[in-house]
Structures are given as structure tokens and as C-alpha cells.
Amino acid sequence: MAAQPWTVVTVTYHSAETLRRCWRGPKPYEWLVVDNASTDDSAAVAEELGARVIRLPENVGFARANNVALREAAGEYVLFANPDLEVRPDGLHALARHLDGHGGLVAPQLLGTDGLPQANGRGFPYATAKLGNRKVWPLSRLHASYRVVTAPGDTRYVAWVMGAAVAGRTVDVAALGGWNERFFLYYEDHELGLRAWRRDLPVAVLGDVRWTHHWARATNSARWSRAHTLELRSARTFFGMFPEFLVGLPRPARRHQRAASLVGTAVPSGADTTGR
């Protein structure tokens, strides 16, 4: 039996009910689930739904768990997909066509359960843009272009895409070094996108692929939680690596010039932007 062209990787942690809601139906792809020592029946549910499950003895975080699966991926293409994402297999063909023509990383346009687009594509992650994204005025106006939404027929370059859905050629993602394990949770997707651009691998959101994302971000609550602590810790790590995004509203630093020339613009149809 020929190997499937796609490997889909899902990291679970107390995700049993979410898996039951979002992952029913046929899976014409290799599905690898890495379970971060859940105490519910996430691993068993994933197996019932058709996954090959890798059970970890402890919670190693999102980035490291993704890398565990990346080393096992047999597909030509790899998609990192959260447990709360509804993957529609027909969209994988369009993502593969984009990767064949442009390389780099690509994401579908995510939709909320209400059918409205989620801004899973983002511009440069200035600290002020992060505050603007939380509706802090006037930063919300100054960084109006930070949130990128694509319409059907539209594909746009972005600085980074949310880790809920990120796809690439398996060989390219492996050559990038996979996910940065300095991050336990949060900001690893920011760093992955910027690192891809610096390796001449463009990052884009494909508007013709539109998948539902049952997003319930833990840090949206005003009540302080462990999620807030993890996000703050990751923010310190990220801005320590990229101090040019920490203060003010500067133009992108020299090492981001290529991304700056393309982020927010439409991806030309059929063009090869990989630099290969």
C-alpha cells in the first residue's frame, strides 16, 4: 500500500472531548497524535478515531511534542493541526499545490464556529501590535494591518501563522529544525514563521482552504491562570531573541527585509518564491 502524501500531527493534552467533536470521519492521511501525558482518555479516543498515538510519559510542551511526531512523519507534506481544528481532506490538495509552487509554510484560512474568519495570519509581532490585538487604543489603530484575513481566491504573505494549523513540505520543516523547543507553549509559532522567512521560505495564508477552528484561548480570560504564566514566560524568551520587536514602532530590522517587502501582499499565482 502506497504511503499517504500527508502526515497530520496533533498534540493532545486532556483533549478527549475535543477530539470526539472535531475528528470524526475518514482520514486519507497519516495521523500522528502525540499525547502529552493526559489524565483523561485522549490517547484512547485518538486511536479509536484512526490515529497512531505516541504516548509521552510527561507533558513536554507543544513544540517538543510536535518535533517528536515530525521525526516519525512519513508523508511528503506535514500539517500541524490542533485538536480543536476540523481538517477537511479536500483542502489538503490545495495546500500541497501551493507548497509545490511556492514552498515555505502555508495555513488555511481559519473560521470560527460562527463561520466568521479568524485572523490566523499575522504581521510583524511588535509588542505594541500584541497590545493592539487586545483592543488597546490607539495601538489597535496603529497596527490595523497586524491581523490578516484572506477571502476565497486570495492568498497573502504573512509574517507568521497561528500554530493551530501550519503546513509545509516535511523535508523543509525538518531542514528548518522543526519547532523551537525553548518554548513550552505560546510564541513558538511567531518564531517559526520568522525563522522560515530568514531561510528564504515564505509564509502565507491560503484563502481557498477554509477550516473551522473551535478556538477557546485560555489567555482570553481576565482571570490570571497558568496559561498566562506560560505566555509571559514565552514572551520573555521571544523578545529576548527578537529585541527589535520589543519597543516602539520601528521599521523592520535588516534581518527581516525580505519578509517586510512581501508581508501583507498577495501571492502571485503560479510564482516560485522559494529562491531555489
Side-chain angles (χ1 to χ4, degrees):
M1 182 176 177
Q4 296 287 358
W6 279 92
T7 296
V8 177
V9 172
T10 302
V11 175
T12 54
Y13 182 67
H14 301 161
S15 308
E17 291 306 314
T18 303
L19 291 172
R20 291 188 181 100
R21 182 169 66 248
C22 299
W23 289 86
R24 296 190 178 278
K27 298 172 182 65
Y29 46 79
E30 176 188 41
W31 187 27
L32 297 181
V33 169
V34 183
D35 185 67
N36 260 329
S38 298
T39 56
D40 67 358
D41 56 349
S42 294
V45 169
E47 286 180 334
E48 291 169 10
L49 293 170
R52 177 161 75 89
V53 178
I54 302 170
R55 292 171 168 84
L56 299 183
E58 60 180 335
N59 185 356
V60 300
F62 181 71
R64 186 174 167 191
N66 272 331
N67 286 341
V68 168
L70 178 62
R71 290 190 286 271
E72 304 255 343
E76 180 181 358
Y77 311 96
V78 62
L79 167 70
F80 300 94
N82 271 13
D84 57 359
L85 180 69
E86 294 183 26
V87 174
R88 297 183 60 178
D90 56 344
L92 294 174
H93 301 297
L95 293 174
R97 284 195 300 272
H98 173 91
L99 291 169
D100 288 342
H102 302 276
L105 303 176
V106 67
Q109 174 60 61
L110 300 186
L111 308 175
T113 54
D114 56 5
L116 296 177
Q118 296 176 348
N120 58 302
R122 300 294 173 91
F124 287 108
Y126 294 109
T128 46
K130 305 288 288 182
L131 291 171
N133 191 50
R134 299 295 178 95
K135 305 294 192 296
V136 176
W137 190 90
L139 298 175
S140 54
R141 285 186 57 191
L142 292 171
H143 290 287
S145 62
Y146 175 65
R147 298 165 61 87
V148 180
V149 171
T150 57
D154 183 27
T155 301
R156 298 215 161 254
Y157 294 115
V158 294
W160 60 279
V161 293
M162 283 169 41
V166 185
R169 287 176 171 273
T170 305
V171 66
D172 288 342
V173 179
L176 269 175
W179 296 76
N180 192 322
E181 296 182 11
R182 291 179 62 184
F183 299 92
F184 184 86
L185 185 64
Y186 303 117
Y187 283 85
E188 65 283 296
D189 43 12
H190 303 43
E191 192 276 337
L192 181 66
L194 294 174
R195 178 158 35 102
W197 276 111
R198 291 183 63 193
R199 301 283 186 88
D200 286 329
L201 295 173
V203 184
V205 176
L206 183 57
D208 281 339
V209 181
R210 308 176 79 77
W211 291 344
T212 300
H213 179 212
H214 298 247
W215 193 20
R217 186 176 171 88
T219 54
N220 281 347
S221 170
R223 187 174 182 179
W224 194 265
S225 65
R226 182 170 183 265
H228 290 89
T229 300
L230 290 173
E231 184 173 30
L232 182 60
R233 185 179 302 161
S234 290
R236 286 200 299 264
T237 299
F238 177 81
F239 289 115
M241 296 172 66
F242 297 94
E244 64 269 27
F245 294 124
L246 184 58
V247 294
L249 297 166
R251 298 178 65 183
R254 179 172 298 176
R255 64 175 174 164
H256 306 293
Q257 281 186 342
R258 182 166 185 265
S261 69
L262 292 173
V263 166
T265 67
V267 176
S269 176
D272 184 340
T273 60
T274 62
R276 294 180 296 192

